[in-house]
Amino acid sequence: MAHTFRFLDDIAMADLAFEAGGESLQDVFQGATDALIHAMADPQTVGTAWQQVIEREEEDPASLLFDWLSDLVYWKDAAGVVFHRSEVRLAQRKDGSWSLHGAVYGEQVKVAKQELRADIKGVTKHLYRLAREGDGWTVRVVLDV
Amino acid sequence: MKLNTHMQVTRISGEVWEIAPSEKAGMLVPARIYAVPEILESMDAGVFEQVTNVACLPGIRRYALCMPDGHWGYGFPIGGVAAFDVRSGVISPGGVGYDVNCGMRLIRTDLTHEEVRPHLGQLMTELFRRVPAGVGASGFVKLDRAALEQVMTGGARWCIEQGFGWHRDLECLEEQGCLVGADPSKVSDRAVSRGINQLGTLGSGNHYLEVQVVSQDRVFDRDRAAAWGIHGRDQVVVMVHCGSRGFGHQVASDYLKVFEKAMRRYGISVKDQQLACAPFQSAEGQDYFAAMNCAANTAFANRQVITHQIRESFAAVFGKPAEALGMEVVYDVAHNIAKVERYPEGELVVHRKGATRALGPGCADLPLRYRATGQPVICGGSMETGSYLLAGTEGAMRDTFASTMHGAGRMMSRTQAKRMIRGEQLQQQMQQQSIVVKAVSMSGLAEEAGFAYKNISDVVASVDRAGITKVVAELRPIGNIKG
């Protein structure tokens, strides 16, 4: 598994943009998820006492990734947590649609212990693009901060 | 003049610039930008692209506008204003933003800087304790779904009924702190789950609570200032910038998805997916409007509960009830909203995204005591440079759908700002400028450094010279709370 992410300087300046890449579609999902996790808090300062399993289905991988990232933003508020890590498993069905089995691990917000970062409001579709590039995949995401 | 666009930008008058519909395929009306030349030159390419994209939306009337604090957003630019015919036009969550009814509130006091300075550290600690900020913060008001539904429909009025404020606060809030047409049945369970614990919390990003000082040499319109309770004798005031928190964010997310599908059904195409929209009169359009009004009312309620906590903090530190300290609300105004308003063309759905309503003198929607002065307009600057109090004008009502700027406007990305300074370093620098800063996130603090923003004085000069608001007073920060 090989995936990367980097935050972008010159896009949507009031918000937070990142680009993630990976050898496979599953890798790029993992890279984008890591970027989102890092945007909210330093994962090294966050424990794993809380976990949530998320199942999703969509017609195409771009919509599936968008929904999955949006789910993490939702759980951040609904459970009052930040995240340490995630596991993502993708599968394509016979009808061509895609399914995701994800698990996310984190803990309740603890100001004194964790290095908290941005309170992400939402995942936007502004300049949102998941594409195959060369031997791998990349995605660009703008988060509303 | 070198601008960050290949499109032709023509000067209409001193601070008004226009891009004709011929500059981009699909533009239905011209785009207009309000800015002094220095500000126009500093605007990023996203502003020009996005304001002209907005000019392509169905049912748009007159112009797509961008205020001088405008910068690259998503869908609409931040600082964007557009009005759509209620019968033939659309409504777009991208014209409101994720943080529905993000807005500003200003509270005056009778206290002077000299009286507050010795207690400032204690005051900021107390405010930081009582007004939760940052990721995952939950408020002290415990709500179940039924109570949250009352907040959705009652807004700030619900708070007053619960004892979080004074009845007279309401007349100094835009729409008296409660938009009609809120329908909780149009709000998802996810929005409820995200927002149910967050009433009375500040959030993060550019949201803040700031203790400020108004000095006499920075009061530019003494009559208006006096009418609003601002005497300016080193007077301490408190500014709050926040919105509808996770509740509003989820409403926006939910309906963007609904609108993406609805656009196909209504045969609407847009130049940016974040401009997803639906006819205002369609079932989807009306559902979003009803849900958005719920979110707007929770934002009014959020700022009302925070006001209560601010008053309690001052009372605790200064040993007097808030009423004895003269802690009246000057005004509360939204800058991320869509509202139905009447103009010469008829009823229009006015979208303001990072733009403030600015009613002029004589407007019947203003409380009696502000009718002669026009509406107070609260513009938040960066945490280092200060903020402004402006007054709405007839010019705004005539030219900009009663709209004006909302803040300084960013000119550097968050990522870039963090590369240039660390939060701890900024906190220390501000301490040296006698500004006490309390922050939950040091990286979040660095993102908000003053150098990441435009010079607010130039931004204010743009709207003042254009006549769409008049400058009343400048407010200087002495204490700041960030998420």
Side-chain angles (χ1 to χ4, degrees):
Chain A
M1 283 229 306
H3 56 265
T4 58
F5 70 87
R6 67 185 179 102
F7 291 101
L8 306 173
D9 266 0
D10 304 321
I11 291 181
M13 61 179 63
D15 300 308
L16 192 58
F18 68 81
E19 197 170 70
E23 284 175 11
S24 67
L25 205 46
Q26 186 156 307
D27 290 342
V28 80
F29 269 59
Q30 196 66 62
T33 309
D34 283 359
L36 179 59
I37 288 173
H38 277 80
M40 297 190 218
D42 178 353
Q44 297 309 317
T45 66
V46 179
T48 55
W50 179 91
Q51 62 173 288
Q52 182 70 35
V53 172
I54 298 168
E55 307 274 355
R56 277 277 181 185
E57 284 174 35
E58 270 293 348
E59 285 175 10
D60 60 274
S63 302
L64 190 62
L65 176 58
F66 185 86
D67 286 350
W68 157 249
L69 296 176
S70 299
D71 281 343
L72 264 59
V73 173
Y74 164 76
W75 281 109
K76 175 258 305 173
D77 284 332
V81 295
V82 281
F83 308 111
H84 176 73
R85 70 184 174 90
S86 70
E87 291 159 6
V88 187
R89 210 166 58 234
L90 285 183
Q92 188 166 24
R93 299 173 163 225
K94 282 181 184 164
D95 65 359
S97 67
W98 291 80
S99 67
L100 177 149
H101 175 89
V104 60
Y105 303 85
E107 68 178 350
Q108 300 287 317
V109 168
K110 295 172 185 164
V111 176
K113 174 192 170 213
Q114 299 150 347
E115 189 195 316
L116 299 172
R117 294 174 177 161
D119 191 0
I120 305 297
K121 295 173 185 169
V123 183
T124 81
K125 290 229 172 136
H126 179 56
L127 303 175
Y128 181 69
R129 184 172 167 270
L130 174 67
R132 183 182 272 285
E133 271 183 20
D135 293 335
W137 289 81
T138 62
V139 67
R140 184 178 50 203
V141 181
V142 177
L143 304 169
D144 188 308
V145 176
Chain B
M1 193 162 51
K2 184 158 169 43
L3 302 180
N4 289 314
T5 179
H6 63 276
M7 289 183 271
Q8 179 74 37
V9 182
T10 308
R11 193 173 206 162
I12 298 294
S13 63
E15 294 75 30
V16 186
W17 309 80
E18 186 169 295
I19 304 171
S22 56
E23 291 296 314
K24 182 182 271 187
M27 280 176 73
L28 301 171
V29 294
R32 284 196 165 185
I33 299 171
Y34 282 71
V36 294
E38 302 77 37
I39 289 286
L40 188 73
E41 276 185 307
S42 73
M43 279 179 167
D44 57 83
V47 168
F48 301 97
E49 281 307 318
Q50 292 183 331
V51 73
T52 49
N53 288 345
V54 173
C56 302
L57 292 175
I60 189 166
R61 292 289 175 257
R62 283 198 245 169
Y63 313 105
L65 299 166
C66 187
M67 296 298 136
D69 48 338
H71 57 83
W72 191 341
Y74 48 83
F76 277 50
I78 309 300
V81 178
F84 302 88
D85 188 278
V86 289
R87 291 172 304 280
S88 61
V90 295
I91 186 166
S92 171
V96 173
Y98 279 80
D99 199 3
V100 176
N101 189 6
C102 185
M104 309 291 300
R105 181 176 288 212
L106 187 68
I107 302 153
R108 71 175 298 285
T109 77
D110 286 334
L111 293 163
T112 64
H113 189 188
E114 195 182 4
E115 290 168 321
V116 169
R117 178 55 69 180
H119 309 283
L120 187 59
Q122 187 194 350
L123 177 64
M124 297 313 292
T125 301
E126 191 66 17
L127 286 166
F128 196 51
R129 188 177 70 81
R130 287 181 188 258
V131 183
V135 186
S138 55
F140 79 97
V141 185
K142 300 301 170 207
L143 301 171
D144 56 17
R145 174 149 192 155
L148 182 58
E149 288 190 0
Q150 289 172 7
V151 176
M152 292 182 215
T153 54
R157 184 158 299 139
W158 178 89
C159 303
I160 306 292
E161 286 163 4
Q162 308 305 310
F164 304 133
W166 309 334
H167 279 280
R168 61 182 180 276
D169 291 343
L170 292 176
E171 70 166 356
C172 294
L173 317 181
E174 181 174 355
E175 305 293 340
Q176 292 79 53
C178 181
L179 291 169
V180 294
D183 180 353
S185 75
K186 305 302 181 189
V187 170
S188 70
D189 289 342
R190 282 168 81 93
V192 170
S193 304
R194 271 185 84 175
I196 203 156
N197 292 321
Q198 294 187 333
L199 193 62
T201 62
L202 205 53
S204 75
N206 62 354
H207 293 161
Y208 60 80
L209 186 164
E210 196 163 86
V211 180
Q212 304 168 332
V213 171
V214 197
S215 51
Q216 280 199 314
D217 61 332
R218 306 311 289 166
V219 176
F220 307 102
D221 184 336
R222 291 188 189 285
D223 291 342
R224 278 197 169 91
W228 299 346
I230 304 296
H231 55 66
R233 291 185 288 276
D234 286 333
Q235 182 180 6
V236 169
V237 297
V238 186
M239 186 176 277
V240 178
H241 177 210
C242 64
S244 49
R245 309 284 290 110
F247 181 85
H249 310 164
Q250 192 62 38
V251 166
S253 298
D254 291 342
Y255 279 93
L256 276 162
K257 206 161 183 178
V258 170
F259 280 20
E260 270 179 33
K261 289 185 179 137
M263 282 201 304
R264 289 198 282 273
R265 190 158 51 254
Y266 296 111
I268 299 171
S269 66
V270 291
K271 292 188 185 289
D272 177 345
Q273 285 191 78
Q274 283 294 135
L275 285 175
C277 57
F280 182 64
Q281 296 296 352
S282 67
E284 294 88 348
Q286 289 295 299
D287 286 354
Y288 169 65
F289 191 53
M292 187 215 69
N293 284 328
C294 290
N297 288 340
T298 63
F300 282 128
N302 195 31
R303 293 194 288 274
Q304 185 63 42
V305 170
I306 289 173
T307 299
H308 171 77
Q309 294 295 77
I310 291 168
R311 285 170 171 159
E312 293 284 294
S313 301
F314 271 74
V317 171
F318 294 98
K320 284 183 185 177
E323 280 189 287
L325 297 170
M327 297 189 71
E328 303 290 337
V329 173
V330 175
Y331 207 65
D332 178 302
V333 67
H335 54 227
N336 276 9
I337 197 88
K339 286 166 64 180
V340 175
E341 296 173 355
R342 180 163 284 282
Y343 290 93
E345 296 93 331
E347 284 195 320
L348 302 177
V349 192
V350 180
H351 292 58
R352 298 189 181 95
K353 184 183 179 185
T356 312
R357 191 188 70 170
L359 298 177
C363 186
D365 289 347
L366 288 172
L368 264 179
R369 63 194 177 106
Y370 290 167
R371 216 162 278 177
T373 62
Q375 177 206 305
V377 172
I378 305 159
C379 294
S382 80
M383 58 196 297
E384 290 181 273
T385 54
S387 300
Y388 277 86
L389 191 53
L390 313 177
T393 63
E394 286 163 357
M397 295 171 74
R398 185 188 61 232
D399 298 335
T400 58
F401 303 109
S403 305
T404 189
M405 60 179 280
H406 84 306
R410 285 193 82 92
M411 59 176 198
M412 184 184 290
S413 72
R414 295 180 176 280
T415 312
Q416 203 178 342
K418 274 192 293 198
R419 288 218 177 93
M420 293 180 65
I421 198 162
R422 287 185 310 108
E424 292 83 354
Q425 200 183 344
L426 179 62
Q427 191 176 33
Q428 227 168 35
Q429 274 179 23
M430 291 180 68
Q431 187 77 47
Q432 283 160 10
Q433 297 166 47
S434 304
I435 304 170
V436 177
V437 181
K438 300 268 183 190
V440 173
S441 163
M442 282 298 149
S443 73
L445 183 65
E447 292 172 9
E448 294 296 318
F451 58 71
Y453 284 84
K454 298 177 191 178
N455 179 342
I456 192 170
S457 300
D458 288 344
V459 180
V460 167
S462 301
V463 292
D464 188 77
R465 284 187 219 158
I468 58 171
T469 26
K470 300 310 278 181
V471 61
V472 173
E474 186 182 351
L475 320 167
R476 187 167 47 87
I478 58 170
N480 190 298
I481 288 173
K482 299 286 301 176

